[in-house]
Amino acid sequence: PHAALLRDQAQRLIGQLLQEAQLSPQYLAERLHISIRQLYRLFEEQGDSVCRYIQRQRLQRSAEDLGNPQLRHESITQIAFKWGFADSAHFSRAFKKQFELSPKDYRLQRQTTH
């Protein structure tokens, strides 16, 4: 139960810090007052990794913004940077792998269905 509580705490903190450029496993472990190894173990127990979890959350928030008609004035790169991606090419590859559409195609598809 303690590990599940700590993992929930880590996931909540990740949600709050997603836009922070310094969000990293090291930074999270420090904020949670646990060792970096303990942090990795929390996610490994669920067959996940802390880095993959962070990336999935960032991609999800990016997808929400890309699908939001009120944010159509923001460029794809601006949205990627806003959610902590430092490199737009890396963002595009990761996005396409996750959603099977490029960010541009995803945005076009979402905005024409709303």
Side-chain angles (χ1 to χ4, degrees):
H2 179 68
L5 265 162
L6 208 47
R7 190 174 43 257
D8 288 348
Q9 202 178 352
Q11 290 173 339
R12 271 197 309 280
L13 190 56
I14 288 167
Q16 293 165 10
L17 299 173
L18 268 183
Q19 292 179 292
E20 307 279 329
Q22 77 265 29
L23 177 59
S24 67
Q26 182 67 47
Y27 183 70
L28 267 177
E30 288 169 11
R31 292 284 303 263
L32 292 165
H33 308 290
I34 61 175
S35 72
I36 194 160
R37 180 72 203 116
Q38 191 178 359
L39 177 68
Y40 278 112
R41 217 176 357 251
L42 290 174
F43 286 84
E44 286 165 4
E45 287 168 2
Q46 299 294 300
D48 205 355
S49 89
V50 65
C51 294
R52 279 197 307 265
Y53 180 84
I54 291 169
Q55 185 175 51
R56 277 197 317 275
Q57 296 305 305
R58 285 180 162 160
L59 288 168
Q60 189 56 51
R61 298 283 182 87
S62 299
E64 289 166 13
D65 282 2
L66 289 169
N68 183 341
Q70 294 174 322
L71 298 178
R72 69 177 153 264
H73 64 281
E74 284 190 26
S75 74
I76 290 169
T77 300
Q78 283 174 307
I79 290 172
F81 286 171
K82 172 177 149 185
W83 289 112
F85 288 93
D87 176 314
S88 57
H90 169 69
F91 167 73
S92 289
R93 283 191 305 274
F95 192 94
K96 189 165 187 167
K97 188 175 177 188
Q98 175 88 12
F99 295 100
E100 298 179 351
L101 283 171
S102 70
K104 183 180 176 186
D105 292 342
Y106 183 92
R107 177 179 248 178
L108 284 170
Q109 187 183 71
R110 290 284 178 228
Q111 300 214 345
T112 52
T113 57
H114 287 104

